[in-house]
Amino acid sequence: RDMPRNRVYPTGAALGMLLDFFNVDWKPRVSDAATSPGLAEMLEDRLPTTPARSDSLLARVKERYRYDSLRATSDHRVQAYPIEYQAAVDSLENAPGFHLSVELPVLNLSRSRTCAGRRLVLEKPTRSFAKLCHVYTLKQLGNDDLFLEVRESAIAEETSADGTSRRADFVAPGIRTAELDGRRVDLSRRGTYSFNRMTLAGPSFQMRYDGQGTLSTDGRRISVRLIPPSPSEGK
C-alpha cells in the first residue's frame, strides 16, 4: 500500500544482514548518508574480483533473475502509476454528494487514519489517495481548536510545495449542520464567508474549528480554508 516508503525497511535490513554475513564493518561507514559507499564498494575487500569477472557475473545474474523483463515491467508500472492516481482522483471528483476540500496549516497538526485497500502516493508535491478510509482524523496538538473526522470515505490529500499546509478532499452524502459564528448557513446557495468559529457535520463526517477561516460554496463543492492564529494573538 505504501510501497514508495515502506520498501526501504525490509530492503535495508536484508542488506545489513548480507554485510554482517561477510563480516563487513559497515555501520560506521554509513553513518553519513552523503559519503556512504555503495554495497559493491563495501564488499570489495571480502569478495575480490576483476572487472572482467564482475561483468561476467553481472550478465549471469541478470539472465538468472530475468533482469530485462523485470526492468521492463517496472518501467511500465512507473509510467502507469501517476495515470492510475489521476484516475482515482477523477473518480472522487465525479462521485455524487457534497465535495468538501479543507486546507489547513500542518504546524501542530495530528493526523490518524485507518484505511483499507490500495493507497496511492506521489511526490513533489506530496499527494496521496486512499480509496476507503474507515476513520480519518485531524486534530490540533495542544488544544481542542480543530477536530475533523471522516468515516467510510475516499480521501485525497495534498501537501503544499513548501510543506506548510495540507489539503484534504472527501465526499459526503449530505450535510446536516452548517454553522458559522453560531448562525446557520445554507450551503446550497453560492457564496463566500469569513468566520471565527465553524461547525460542519453530516452522516459521514464532523468538523469544528474555533478560529478564523473562510468558506466558499457553489452548492455542491465546499472549500474551507483555516487560518492559524498569529503568534501575538495567544489563546
Side-chain angles (χ1 to χ4, degrees):
R1 296 177 185 174
D2 291 324
M3 178 63 75
R5 179 182 65 183
N6 290 345
R7 69 179 295 274
V8 302
Y9 301 116
T11 302
L15 294 178
M17 292 179 65
L18 178 65
L19 292 168
D20 286 341
F21 178 81
F22 286 104
N23 295 317
V24 176
D25 186 21
W26 58 273
K27 292 181 181 178
R29 302 176 68 183
V30 299
S31 58
D32 184 357
T35 60
S36 175
L39 179 65
E41 185 178 347
M42 287 190 285
L43 285 172
E44 280 180 340
D45 294 337
R46 298 296 177 180
L47 299 174
T49 185
T50 63
R53 178 164 171 74
S54 294
D55 291 342
S56 174
L57 290 172
L58 180 60
R60 289 169 56 187
V61 168
K62 285 185 173 182
E63 181 179 2
R64 178 174 181 178
Y65 293 102
R66 300 178 293 111
Y67 173 82
D68 291 338
S69 175
L70 291 173
R71 177 63 184 268
T73 300
S74 297
D75 289 344
H76 173 74
R77 290 181 176 177
V78 167
Q79 294 172 6
Y81 195 86
I83 298 174
E84 182 183 2
Y85 173 87
Q86 190 58 52
V89 172
D90 290 344
S91 70
L92 180 64
E93 286 286 325
N94 296 324
F98 289 92
H99 290 240
L100 288 99
S101 180
V102 181
E103 182 182 347
L104 66 170
V106 299
L107 182 65
N108 297 325
L109 182 68
S110 171
R111 176 188 63 188
S112 63
R113 61 192 173 198
T114 302
C115 302
R118 184 169 170 77
R119 181 168 169 265
L120 303 171
V121 180
L122 293 179
E123 301 291 341
K124 297 180 181 180
T126 300
R127 293 159 286 165
S128 68
F129 178 87
K131 186 175 182 179
L132 176 61
C133 278
H134 297 301
V135 182
Y136 174 91
T137 305
L138 294 176
K139 298 179 181 179
Q140 194 79 36
L141 293 174
N143 57 55
D144 297 324
D145 290 348
L146 168 67
F147 180 76
L148 169 64
E149 182 182 80
V150 183
R151 291 182 174 271
E152 307 302 331
S153 175
I155 300 286
E157 287 186 313
E158 181 169 340
T159 301
S160 62
D162 60 6
T164 60
S165 65
R166 174 178 295 148
R167 193 185 76 237
D169 298 337
F170 60 96
V171 175
I175 297 179
R176 292 193 293 245
T177 303
E179 293 184 356
L180 303 179
D181 298 329
R183 294 182 297 180
R184 289 186 175 274
V185 177
D186 183 0
L187 296 181
S188 66
R189 301 177 60 181
R190 182 183 299 270
T192 299
Y193 310 88
S194 298
F195 59 81
N196 295 299
R197 187 173 69 255
M198 179 199 65
T199 301
L200 295 177
S204 62
F205 81 101
Q206 56 178 318
M207 180 179 181
R208 65 175 184 271
Y209 183 59
D210 186 12
Q212 294 182 341
T214 60
L215 182 150
S216 299
T217 175
D218 64 4
R220 180 171 178 262
R221 299 182 183 275
I222 302 163
S223 298
V224 178
R225 180 174 176 267
L226 307 184
I227 303 173
S230 63
S232 60
E233 288 184 57
K235 289 219 173 186

